[in-house]
Amino acid sequence: MNRTPTIGSAVIDRLHQLGVRHIFGIPGDYVLSLYQLIEASPIQHVGTTREDCAGFAADAYARINGIGAVCVTYCVGGLNTVNAIACAYAERSPVVLLTGSPGLSERIRTPYMHHMVRDFSTQREVFEKITVAAISLDDPSTAEREMDRAFAALLRYRRPIYIEIPRDLVHTPLAHPLRPLCLDDEPSDTAALDEAIAEVRAMLTMASRPAILAGAEIGRFGLQDDLTRLVERLNVPIASTLLGKSVIREDHPLYAGVYGGLIARDEVQQFINASDCLLILGSILSDVEDLNADSPLLSEGRTIHATADRVAIKHHRYDAIRFQDFVKALVSNPLPSFPSRPLPAPLAVGQDIIAPDTPVTLNGLFRHLDSLLNEHTLVIADVGESLFAAADLHVHRRFEFLSPAYYTSMGFAVPAAVGASFADPSLRPIVLVGDGAFQMTGTELSTAVRYGQTPIVIVLNNRGYSTEREILEGPFNDVHEWGYERICDMIGGGVGTRINTQGEFERGLTAALADSSRLYVMNVLLDPADRSAGMVRLAHRLAKRLSTDRP
């Protein structure tokens, strides 16, 4: 006989049914009852040092696992996660934010409770702006229906949801045993889908230079195999956005490179822009991520643009088609195949030998790192040079690259390594993080030590914010110098090294990769004026844009 669940246990059960095996967060009095239920469930609680780090960890976990979760207390905890949840929303990462709130009975007796801001609904109202569903389970008779509605929205759009439970209702029984999960997700309109595929077929039939641009939503919806089959059936070149980097193996013979509005190589930009039919699958439009909304590709009706929000072909919109149904229909329906054509020349890799006693540079560092990546490494790049230089790395498998490439929030990478290590323990995270970003969230390495994780953290120490220096130089871009390698002493684990030369970096990275029993922190001292090729491209395009904006 099925037990009658409580509101709290029903949420935990649903999370487990959907694939959550770890939940990140920090306890507080409004969620202690929820934490008690988590401890009694098959889901492991992972304690972090900060709530925003819990959010970033859950985001990375969700990108690999398909769903992530964070549990924090009311307002002082929840509002600390706003930036991380906003990042997950912007980049379509399905994260569940579970939080408590003052009990309903308490609100009658005491109009103002600790942690409260303005009124009891303020926190939920904040998250309504950055989630696809924000609910308060304050009625046992509707709780199951409301939570399943929220979970359906999370799976439909692959974006965060917010679930709040007043603390005096956590143990309140539902009216009946928990029913099988019913997500009530409406299927695509078959007539509209057939019409859309017919329009795609007509466009491709008239095309001579088609290409595919793949974004992160391909990975969020688990469509990587479908994408590969589509590319190979059509025999057309494919580029990825920076956020979608590694959504297809970059050693695939039809892979053209990373396409992005500000950092892609000119050869890739020109190649994709010259397409007479571009299938944009799972990518949003932004200045950093891919083509701008005023691109001739769009204005001239040369695009097929499909995301979780809509499918648009030329200037026609198909709102009744689900993204995953559209992609699968592209694979299963007859479409024309195209003759092979030359791709942009791959990025030239320097063949000159760098002397071991030469001061370490971004070029030498990333060239050597690129040569050592394999199927068991996962690159997690923070923003700045960590991201722009990493854009030119060659990844060898899917999901080998994670970054906040569109939202570009500093401080993502270190806590993301914690989440990624729980999502797939078989991968060794290599964390690329600038000194400024490390100062924001680098102490989350203590969580990695606590749980026996062994990331390799490469701190690009150029003593400031390099991206901002390129836009507008000033002393406000400088950061205080830390002995980053000494954090291992503070957190009680790991090996810290200070890197000055190319030889020291190569020996240090080799030692770190050979030792999977400990985390490593490499404090790489760089010339503040050193710039990667990706940063140079970014700076050049920003300068050009700013010059056209001046009166």
Side-chain angles (χ1 to χ4, degrees):
M1 182 176 180
N2 294 332
R3 61 180 174 84
T4 301
T6 65
I7 292 177
S9 68
V11 172
I12 303 302
D13 287 348
R14 285 291 195 243
L15 288 173
H16 188 259
Q17 290 172 26
L18 291 173
V20 172
R21 298 296 178 265
H22 302 85
I23 189 167
F24 304 87
I26 298 174
D29 60 339
Y30 289 110
V31 289
L32 289 179
S33 294
L34 279 170
Y35 267 68
Q36 186 179 41
L37 291 174
I38 292 168
E39 288 299 310
S41 78
I43 298 175
Q44 178 186 354
H45 164 247
V46 178
T48 58
T49 65
R50 294 166 44 133
E51 287 94 351
D52 58 345
C53 288
F56 286 136
D59 181 351
Y61 185 93
R63 295 183 192 212
I64 295 174
N65 182 62
I67 183 173
V70 56
C71 183
V72 292
T73 195
Y74 180 61
C75 283
V76 293
L79 297 180
N80 260 347
T81 70
V82 165
N83 186 56
I85 297 300
C87 179
Y89 182 91
E91 300 193 354
R92 293 196 183 276
S93 186
V95 175
V96 179
L97 174 59
L98 180 58
T99 183
S101 63
L104 297 185
S105 59
E106 296 175 294
R107 303 180 194 189
I108 298 172
R109 299 192 305 269
T110 310
Y112 295 100
M113 302 287 295
H114 65 284
H115 300 340
M116 180 178 163
V117 180
R118 192 166 180 173
D119 56 42
F120 291 110
S121 63
T122 298
Q123 178 177 257
R124 176 177 51 78
E125 291 168 357
V126 167
F127 282 99
E128 285 176 352
K129 301 294 185 181
I130 52 174
T131 62
V132 289
I135 62 172
S136 177
L137 301 182
D138 52 15
D139 184 346
S141 65
T142 61
E144 182 179 1
R145 183 170 67 251
E146 282 292 285
M147 76 175 75
D148 286 355
R149 178 179 65 82
F151 285 127
L154 175 137
L155 295 175
R156 170 68 175 83
Y157 296 103
R158 295 306 198 270
R159 278 179 159 160
I161 61 172
Y162 169 92
I163 298 178
E164 173 186 307
I165 308 178
R167 64 176 170 184
D168 60 357
L169 295 186
V170 171
H171 296 302
T172 299
L174 297 181
H176 46 73
L178 199 61
R179 290 169 288 207
L181 185 59
C182 180
L183 296 176
D184 193 28
D185 191 12
E186 291 187 9
S188 296
D189 182 302
T190 54
L193 183 57
D194 290 343
E195 182 179 326
I197 296 300
E199 190 170 3
V200 171
R201 185 182 301 111
M203 285 184 67
L204 288 172
T205 300
M206 299 295 294
S208 59
R209 302 183 310 278
I212 294 175
L213 176 61
E217 286 185 15
I218 291 291
R220 304 292 189 265
F221 285 87
L223 298 170
Q224 301 92 323
D225 291 337
D226 297 284
L227 176 68
T228 301
R229 284 194 290 270
L230 177 64
V231 168
E232 293 173 352
R233 280 190 59 226
L234 298 178
N235 195 43
V236 298
I238 178 171
S240 72
T241 64
L242 185 54
L243 185 61
K245 183 177 172 67
S246 80
V247 77
I248 188 170
R249 294 178 65 104
E250 294 189 353
D251 57 359
H252 194 285
L254 289 167
Y255 182 69
V258 170
Y259 177 93
L262 291 176
I263 67 151
R265 293 190 296 126
D266 288 337
E267 302 93 322
V268 180
Q269 296 281 82
Q270 294 163 7
F271 182 83
I272 295 298
N273 288 341
S275 303
D276 55 4
C277 181
L278 181 63
L279 284 80
I280 309 171
L281 300 177
S283 177
I284 55 179
L285 300 179
S286 75
D287 57 345
V288 175
E289 247 277 271
D290 52 63
L291 72 163
N292 294 315
D294 58 356
S295 165
L297 282 165
L298 293 169
S299 61
E300 296 171 10
R302 289 186 277 148
T303 60
I304 299 156
H305 188 195
T307 69
D309 293 322
R310 63 185 176 89
V311 173
I313 302 175
K314 291 186 177 181
H315 304 294
H316 308 153
R317 289 185 53 152
Y318 293 87
D319 294 323
I321 300 176
R322 298 194 312 169
F323 173 65
Q324 58 268 49
D325 292 341
F326 180 72
V327 173
K328 289 180 180 297
L330 289 174
V331 176
S332 62
N333 280 273
L335 295 174
S337 181
F338 294 84
S340 299
R341 55 194 175 102
L343 298 178
L347 183 68
V349 178
Q351 300 299 319
D352 55 306
I353 298 175
I354 303 175
D357 58 351
T358 301
V360 66
T361 64
L362 288 166
N363 175 57
L365 184 155
F366 277 88
R367 186 201 302 184
H368 184 68
L369 174 61
D370 200 25
S371 70
L372 296 180
L373 297 179
N374 57 47
E375 292 185 342
H376 306 293
T377 52
L378 167 70
V379 175
I380 304 179
D382 218 290
V383 301
E385 282 289 17
S386 304
L387 174 60
F388 302 134
D392 292 330
L393 290 173
H394 299 87
V395 299
H396 301 271
R397 57 168 282 172
R398 298 186 315 217
F399 289 132
E400 194 181 76
F401 188 87
L402 295 179
S403 77
Y406 162 57
Y407 188 66
T408 57
S409 176
M410 293 175 65
F412 172 87
V414 171
V418 173
S421 293
F422 278 109
D424 189 346
S426 70
L427 296 177
R428 183 92 183 270
I430 297 178
V431 178
L432 301 168
V433 58
D435 48 348
F438 188 89
Q439 289 190 12
M440 293 181 178
T441 58
T443 51
E444 202 59 47
L445 287 176
S446 67
T447 303
V449 170
R450 177 182 180 184
Y451 293 100
Q453 298 177 345
T454 61
I456 299 170
V457 180
I458 301 173
V459 181
L460 304 181
N461 181 1
N462 54 18
R463 295 176 285 290
Y465 304 121
S466 56
T467 308
E468 282 69 24
R469 282 172 173 160
E470 286 299 311
I471 300 172
L472 181 64
E473 181 59 283
F476 39 77
N477 293 322
D478 299 336
V479 301
H480 182 64
E481 180 73 5
W482 285 13
Y484 298 99
E485 74 279 5
R486 299 181 65 184
I487 193 172
C488 296
D489 297 330
M490 183 181 74
I491 62 178
V495 178
T497 56
R498 190 175 180 87
I499 305 296
N500 288 280
T501 68
Q502 180 71 16
E504 289 174 349
F505 176 72
E506 292 182 8
R507 291 190 296 273
L509 185 57
T510 298
L513 288 167
D515 180 9
S516 60
S517 66
R518 295 178 292 180
L519 68 81
Y520 279 73
V521 177
M522 304 175 69
N523 180 11
V524 181
L525 282 78
L526 297 164
D527 184 333
D530 191 10
R531 295 291 180 269
S532 69
M535 179 65 83
V536 170
R537 295 192 296 265
L538 172 81
H540 173 75
R541 289 166 184 158
L542 275 177
K544 184 177 180 180
R545 178 182 298 178
L546 291 173
S547 67
T548 61
D549 290 341
R550 294 191 184 104

